[in-house]
Amino acid sequence: MAEIKRGITLFSLGSLYLRGEMNLEDLIRESAAMGFEGYEIVASQMIPSYPFVSDEFVEFTKKCQEKYGIGPVCYAAQMDRGMLRDRDLTEDEMVARGIQDIISANKLGCKVMREQYLLSPGGLARLAPYAEAYDVRVGIEIHNPESPITQAVLDYVAAIEKSGSRYIGFIPDFGCFATKPNKPYWDRALQDGATEEQLERCAQLRYDEVLMDQAFAAMKDDIEKCPALAGALNSMYGFVQFRKDCRRELEGLVRIMPYCFEMHGKFHYMYEDLHEASIPYEEIMEVINHSDFKGYIVTEFEGGEEPLVQCRRHSDMLKKLIRQ
Amino acid sequence: MLEMEALQYKGFRNLKKGDETVGFQVGIRFVAYRGPWLSQFRFKYVKVDGKKFGPDVCTFTLHGVEYTYEEMLQDWHVKWNLQDVCYIHVRKPGGLASGNHRVQVVFWEVASYLPPFLDDMRMNQDDIPEDPSNTREMIIV
């Protein structure tokens, strides 16, 4: 039986924060007002003492919890494997970073930590004893173009199962179940002179699983006349890919569900009628409702305008779809 | 107080050594999704009224520690958070004249999830267009 809570990653409201229109406390207050029960924090974005968590920051989050009723539930870490010019970080160096992040997550009171795929399956397994010692579950984010059935993710499954630890696993991002083109990119291309007909041809190439080079070749004449099409087509082969249906990916989700500590409720555009433009939430939630998933679905807005309106709609949609 | 813009009015001034004006400084912050580790910082030049100053005549002071550009590229343990201002010290005997100046600072972050060609493209481009994200009219009093 699923036990699902609704959370939000404050990254969703990041544009307001970065423009100085809202401070961290404002974001927490607004999140509570939207009905979220906890928040995820991108540590390198909003924790001034990152990669450490200062006593002052802990105190601040506790005060906010008293005032608004919600606190941090997930520490979103990053793995900057490519931070040096001449070489990648070694696995030892990355594991050391991961351990520091676990300690910081624990200090902040988070029971879950988001880790990135740049840490190898072997590196993740090495974090398990530290995750257990600090009582922080470390989940690799499964982000489009990866999905629960791609080889990279299956390699993590093997490492997790071999470790026997319940403290390493996944945070699937719903973007990997997309069945339609990303609406913000589509709209931007329209604004920049592309036509619906041209974009539909691009989308069809993606649906037909035409290879990227061939798709660009097929659209060459159109791209020459309208360079904005290149960006839209590129995105369809990048981090916002989509396919006709996500049945197999959802079957994969069922298989890895025992290792899922949190879900990223990724979205790019919510219509007023509480439907997401390209990600089939109804189908996804059907699977999760019927699973034993226990944890937060964390609203993650990665679109453009009106983040507060968009996140409110997303929260309302989840409320409607969660059955437990 | 921290200004939200990348280039900071506060701290834009000439630098003196004894009685001699040896250069000027300008403060910058990252207006981005997140701040970099020092090794992820990329810098091309400070341009004042059309004249460019490259890494060879600049040092960078963050959290009170002064680095050369090369030192920053090697340092992957110090984090430059979004709230932190880094002061670029530019060697220029005599400093800048009093009055208005058009100041551009060209810098960015490299990251594991960004394609390397973006970095190469910027590095190989002599002139980066001025826009409000990297350029500001500022005053030396």
Side-chain angles (χ1 to χ4, degrees):
Chain A
M1 172 102 175
E3 287 172 31
I4 305 167
K5 288 183 175 175
R6 284 175 303 141
I8 180 172
T9 169
L10 299 181
F11 164 85
S12 303
L13 309 175
S15 58
L16 302 169
Y17 175 80
L18 296 173
R19 288 201 297 259
E21 291 167 24
M22 285 196 178
N23 62 27
L24 189 48
E25 182 166 346
D26 295 330
L27 301 188
I28 295 168
R29 189 190 60 241
E30 291 296 327
S31 297
M34 285 188 272
F36 294 109
E37 300 163 90
Y39 58 86
E40 174 175 317
I41 188 160
V42 174
S44 66
Q45 185 176 46
M46 295 184 185
I47 302 180
S49 51
Y50 176 84
F52 309 107
V53 172
S54 65
D55 294 342
E56 291 79 6
F57 193 79
V58 172
E59 199 51 39
F60 164 78
T61 58
K62 283 186 179 155
K63 285 228 169 74
C64 286
Q65 178 124 29
E66 282 166 24
K67 281 196 211 167
Y68 311 114
I70 64 171
V73 295
C74 177
Y75 184 95
Q78 258 141 348
M79 190 51 77
D80 289 305
R81 187 172 70 195
M83 66 195 302
L84 289 170
R85 273 187 309 178
D86 49 347
R87 65 175 179 85
D88 279 347
L89 295 192
T90 64
E91 188 177 285
D92 282 357
E93 288 164 343
M94 285 190 275
V95 168
R97 292 250 142 157
I99 293 169
Q100 175 57 56
D101 286 327
I102 289 171
I103 293 169
S104 293
N106 166 274
K107 182 163 178 186
L108 195 57
C110 295
K111 298 284 184 195
V112 175
M113 176 176 118
R114 185 283 305 263
E115 184 54 272
Q116 292 182 311
Y117 69 95
L118 295 143
L119 180 67
S120 67
L124 178 67
R126 288 172 64 187
L127 286 183
Y130 302 92
E132 288 170 15
Y134 283 93
D135 191 21
V136 174
R137 287 177 161 77
V138 179
I140 296 283
E141 183 178 18
I142 304 176
H143 195 290
N144 187 323
E146 301 300 336
S147 86
I149 54 172
T150 53
Q151 190 56 49
V153 171
L154 298 178
D155 291 346
Y156 283 108
V157 172
I160 292 162
E161 290 181 344
K162 192 174 161 208
S163 79
S165 174
R166 305 311 300 252
Y167 275 78
I168 52 172
F170 296 109
I171 298 180
D173 178 303
F174 292 170
C176 64
F177 303 117
T179 52
K180 286 182 189 162
N182 179 287
K183 182 171 159 58
Y185 283 114
W186 186 284
D187 290 348
R188 201 174 310 149
L190 283 178
Q191 269 173 19
D192 293 342
T195 65
E196 286 278 354
E197 185 274 329
Q198 285 173 319
L199 286 164
E200 271 159 21
R201 268 192 284 140
C202 289
Q204 196 55 49
L205 290 164
R206 174 72 261 186
Y207 278 129
D208 293 343
E209 298 186 11
V210 172
L211 294 175
M212 187 173 180
D213 290 352
Q214 291 167 15
F216 268 87
M219 295 303 296
K220 188 167 164 282
D221 292 346
D222 296 84
I223 288 171
E224 270 171 22
K225 282 178 220 137
C226 175
L229 271 179
L233 185 56
N234 193 53
S235 74
M236 293 180 188
Y237 285 86
F239 291 119
V240 288
Q241 301 189 9
F242 52 90
R243 54 185 66 75
K244 285 186 189 102
D245 76 74
C246 59
R247 217 176 44 243
R248 286 178 58 228
E249 285 72 20
L250 285 174
E251 283 165 15
L253 178 63
V254 171
R255 152 119 168 79
I256 63 166
M257 199 65 88
Y259 313 124
C260 292
F261 307 134
E262 179 186 296
M263 304 281 168
H264 271 177
K266 167 67 57 64
F267 74 108
H268 302 96
Y269 190 83
M270 285 295 304
Y271 290 110
E272 241 178 310
D273 66 0
L274 306 186
H275 283 91
E276 212 283 334
S278 61
I279 301 168
Y281 268 83
E282 292 75 6
E283 284 178 60
I284 301 167
M285 289 309 302
E286 185 68 16
V287 168
I288 297 174
N289 282 334
H290 287 97
S291 76
D292 288 327
F293 173 70
K294 289 179 178 52
Y296 281 84
I297 295 179
V298 167
T299 288
E300 187 182 29
F301 178 50
E302 219 173 79
E305 298 303 307
E306 300 192 300
L308 290 170
V309 173
Q310 287 287 313
C311 289
R312 161 79 69 173
R313 286 181 193 165
H314 193 261
S315 169
D316 291 347
M317 174 186 67
L318 286 180
K319 205 171 181 178
K320 208 175 76 178
L321 294 177
I322 291 171
R323 300 258 179 281
Q324 48 192 347
Chain B
M1 192 185 131
L2 182 71
E3 297 155 53
M4 297 317 294
E5 289 82 359
L7 275 63
Q8 306 279 301
Y9 280 133
K10 193 180 160 189
F12 179 57
R13 59 179 173 81
N14 280 324
L15 296 170
K16 288 198 162 198
K17 205 170 197 175
D19 289 339
E20 199 188 341
T21 302
V22 293
F24 65 94
Q25 74 166 24
V26 56
I28 56 171
R29 68 176 282 262
F30 265 88
V31 180
Y33 155 59
R34 60 174 189 147
W37 299 90
L38 292 195
S39 62
Q40 293 170 287
F41 172 62
R42 294 292 179 274
F43 169 78
K44 230 175 137 72
Y45 55 78
V46 175
K47 191 167 88 177
V48 181
D49 306 326
K51 184 172 169 35
K52 286 181 193 166
F53 303 90
D56 52 322
V57 292
C58 295
T59 61
F60 304 82
T61 299
L62 184 74
H63 309 145
V65 180
E66 190 174 4
Y67 304 87
T68 64
Y69 184 49
E70 267 311 308
E71 284 167 345
M72 288 181 97
L73 294 177
Q74 304 299 327
D75 194 320
W76 53 287
H77 296 284
V78 173
K79 187 74 179 30
W80 177 350
N81 282 314
L82 292 176
Q83 301 80 0
D84 305 330
V85 174
C86 173
Y87 290 97
I88 307 177
H89 289 193
V90 182
R91 255 195 327 276
K92 181 183 184 297
L96 297 173
S98 294
N100 285 310
H101 295 281
R102 187 169 177 81
V103 184
Q104 182 191 28
V105 184
V106 177
F107 67 103
W108 62 91
E109 174 202 25
V110 294
S112 299
Y113 47 79
L114 297 175
F117 77 84
L118 284 178
D119 189 34
D120 295 340
M121 201 172 72
R122 285 173 175 144
M123 270 301 169
N124 296 329
Q125 203 176 341
D126 281 342
D127 283 298
I128 306 287
E130 292 181 8
D131 66 52
S133 75
N134 62 30
T135 305
R136 219 173 170 190
E137 293 280 344
M138 303 206 283
I139 300 172
I140 293 277
V141 285

